[in-house]
Amino acid sequence: MENFNSGESIRMLSKNTVKFIKSLHQKKYRNQEGLFLVEGEKSVLEVLSSSFQIHLLLGTADFFITHQAALKAYKGEYIEVTQNQLEQVGTFRSNKDALVMAQMGSEEPFGLDQNELAIALDDVKDPGNLGTIIRIADWYGIRKLVLSPQSAEIYNPKVIQATMGSFTRIRWFYEELESVFSRWNRPVYGAFLEGENLHEVTSLKPGVILMGNESKGISPELERCVDRKLTIPAFGQAESLNVAIATAIITDTFKRILSA
């Protein structure tokens, strides 16, 4: 890795560094240190080009050689490691590229501009679902996601992995949703099994799309905050849709109507 010298090489992966990185697999220590892990080629390149502060970059020789141009701006610490070392310290079963230790973003109160569309999640627990929803939001140009405190943690490695780098372009807020919805007079749209047929909707206004828990749906407390209930019509016998898939379908409808 003689050609890569943009940052400061630590040269060796010490036992203490390994122990510290492994501690960040757990939410307790992520919160305590204010740090989280990003793994895999695509996600690491995304976070390196974002506004997140990077504390340490681990990469294989092939990763550093392949991405010389992308790494020119990186001035932080790095260590060249083997694929086996990456897999030992990270959470991926297979990682032949890189891992970074990044600083968590600062928390801010949620706010919504007049013509802005956002997604709210009520107790969405599954990390894979949350990561996929973040990726969906990024695809449709939605930049804000507000989550109930009981929802999955965005810095969970499984969430970060599922976003495929989209977490670098989305702002998220953990707040009590009842309080959030009471702060403005913008419409709240809720996804329900019984509601207005989404295929028959012709008029929508910017606001918040509220999606519920994977098994329980939107809580009764938040149902009272919903201005308009929407449902995706079923044509078969499935009991329900995965929350991430439902989010994509509803978001697509909103973007199509709002852009018309």
Side-chain angles (χ1 to χ4, degrees), residues 1 4-5 7-11 56-57 64 76-79:
M1 197 192 63
F4 181 71
N5 56 11
E8 177 185 349
S9 174
I10 301 178
R11 297 300 178 191
L56 178 65
L57 164 63
F64 287 122
E77 294 180 333
Y78 66 90
I79 307 174

Side-chain angles (χ1 to χ4, degrees), residues 8-237:
E8 177 185 349
S9 174
I10 301 178
R11 297 300 178 191
M12 294 184 63
L13 185 62
S14 69
K15 290 183 178 179
N16 284 340
T17 301
V18 168
K19 183 179 179 181
F20 186 80
I21 292 172
K22 284 187 173 181
S23 75
L24 299 179
H25 294 192
Q26 301 180 49
K27 182 178 179 180
K28 170 185 175 181
Y29 294 106
R30 288 195 293 271
N31 289 338
Q32 181 177 300
E33 301 295 336
L35 298 170
F36 69 104
L37 302 178
V38 182
E39 301 171 70
E41 181 183 36
K42 177 174 174 52
S43 294
V44 166
L45 291 173
E46 292 271 18
V47 77
L48 285 172
S49 63
S50 75
S51 60
F52 280 94
Q53 181 180 347
I54 307 302
H55 284 246
L56 178 65
L57 164 63
L58 307 185
T60 61
D62 284 346
F63 175 81
F64 287 122
I65 291 170
T66 302
H67 300 292
Q68 288 277 335
L71 293 169
K72 277 185 178 179
Y74 179 67
K75 304 300 180 184
E77 294 180 333
Y78 66 90
I79 307 174
E80 181 182 322
V81 294
T82 65
Q83 180 178 342
N84 184 55
Q85 286 176 310
L86 275 181
E87 292 168 357
Q88 286 181 347
V89 301
T91 64
F92 277 23
R93 290 184 179 180
S94 177
N95 182 4
K96 60 182 178 64
D97 297 296
L99 173 152
V100 297
M101 185 165 60
Q103 186 169 324
M104 294 179 177
S106 58
E107 294 186 6
E108 303 173 20
F110 175 74
L112 202 60
D113 295 336
Q114 187 64 33
N115 294 314
E116 194 171 11
L117 182 65
I119 295 173
L121 302 181
D122 177 19
D123 198 21
V124 170
K125 297 288 193 183
D126 183 81
N129 283 336
L130 175 54
T132 303
I133 290 170
I134 291 171
R135 195 173 172 187
I136 289 164
D138 187 25
W139 178 265
Y140 284 104
I142 293 174
R143 294 291 171 241
K144 291 178 182 177
L145 188 69
V146 57
L147 307 95
S148 65
Q150 299 77 27
S151 295
E153 177 213 10
I154 281 185
Y155 294 114
N156 182 312
K158 292 180 180 178
V159 175
I160 296 296
Q161 178 185 358
T163 73
M164 295 296 290
S166 287
F167 76 93
T168 61
R169 291 178 289 275
I170 302 296
R171 294 173 62 194
W172 57 84
F173 311 82
Y174 282 88
E175 293 194 42
E176 293 292 347
L177 296 183
E178 284 186 88
S179 173
V180 168
F181 297 152
S182 69
R183 291 206 299 261
W184 75 82
N185 58 353
R186 309 290 297 288
V188 176
Y189 302 90
F192 290 85
L193 288 177
E194 294 182 3
E196 189 177 350
N197 187 330
L198 196 65
H199 289 184
E200 298 174 358
V201 172
T202 58
S203 177
L204 293 166
K205 295 180 180 180
V208 177
I209 301 170
L210 173 62
M211 306 300 297
N213 174 269
E214 288 89 343
S215 60
K216 300 177 181 177
I218 293 171
S219 66
E221 294 78 16
L222 288 178
E223 182 176 357
R224 294 193 291 267
C225 302
V226 173
D227 300 297
R228 194 170 173 184
K229 297 180 179 180
L230 302 174
T231 190
I232 300 168
F235 298 92
Q237 302 302 312

